[in-house]
């Protein structure tokens, strides 16, 4: 998401405790969409604001109800994403 040198090591794991269940899993890694950044900039946001908005929006499905269940953990994640969004990406 944030640099060409970024790395990810996904180790998916499922714990299934029933015999009649079908399960699967997946992971996605992507770069910020330049088209989305362009759209937000055309609506008046600066480049850093657009990047920050995308970085905060990206994990919302994954975070689910964390904001309600563990607000401090959610705030720590949100703060880290804001910090990362203000760091210039190396080219």
């Amino acid at each position: 998401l944030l640099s060409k040198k970024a790395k990810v090591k996904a180790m998916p794991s499922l714990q299934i405790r029933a015999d009649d269940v079908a399960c699967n899993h997946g992971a996605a890694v992507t770069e910020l969409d330049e088209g989305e950044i362009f759209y937000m900039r055309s609506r008046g946001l600066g480049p850093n604001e657009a990047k920050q908005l995308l970085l905060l929006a990206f994990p919302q499905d994954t975070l689910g109800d964390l904001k309600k269940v563990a607000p401090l953990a959610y705030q720590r994640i949100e703060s880290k994403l804001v910090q990362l969004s203000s760091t210039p990406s190396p080219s």
Side-chain angles (χ1 to χ4, degrees), residues 56-85:
L56 290 172
F58 185 77
Q60 291 307 309
D61 285 345
T62 304
L63 295 176
D65 291 332
L66 186 63
K67 191 172 189 175
K68 295 177 196 168
V69 177
L72 292 176
Y74 181 85
Q75 287 174 350
R76 288 182 64 200
I77 292 168
E78 188 176 54
S79 295
K80 185 65 175 177
L81 290 171
V82 168
Q83 177 187 11
L84 289 170
S85 71

Side-chain angles (χ1 to χ4, degrees), residues 37-49:
I37 292 174
F38 176 81
Y39 176 81
M40 288 188 264
R41 294 201 61 203
S42 73
R43 299 300 185 261
L45 282 109
N48 289 339
E49 292 170 308

Side-chain angles (χ1 to χ4, degrees), residues 1-4 32 51 84-91:
L1 277 173
L2 300 173
S3 83
K4 301 233 184 262
L32 296 176
K51 182 178 172 184
L84 289 170
S85 71
S86 9
T87 306
S89 300
S91 300

Side-chain angles (χ1 to χ4, degrees), residues 10-21:
M11 297 178 64
S13 170
L14 296 174
Q15 294 181 1
I16 302 168
R17 298 173 191 226
D19 294 331
D20 59 348
V21 177

Side-chain angles (χ1 to χ4, degrees), residues 5-33:
K5 294 181 180 181
K7 294 181 182 181
V8 66
K9 184 176 182 179
M11 297 178 64
S13 170
L14 296 174
Q15 294 181 1
I16 302 168
R17 298 173 191 226
D19 294 331
D20 59 348
V21 177
C23 296
N24 58 45
H25 56 80
V29 177
T30 185
E31 293 182 16
L32 296 176
D33 186 326

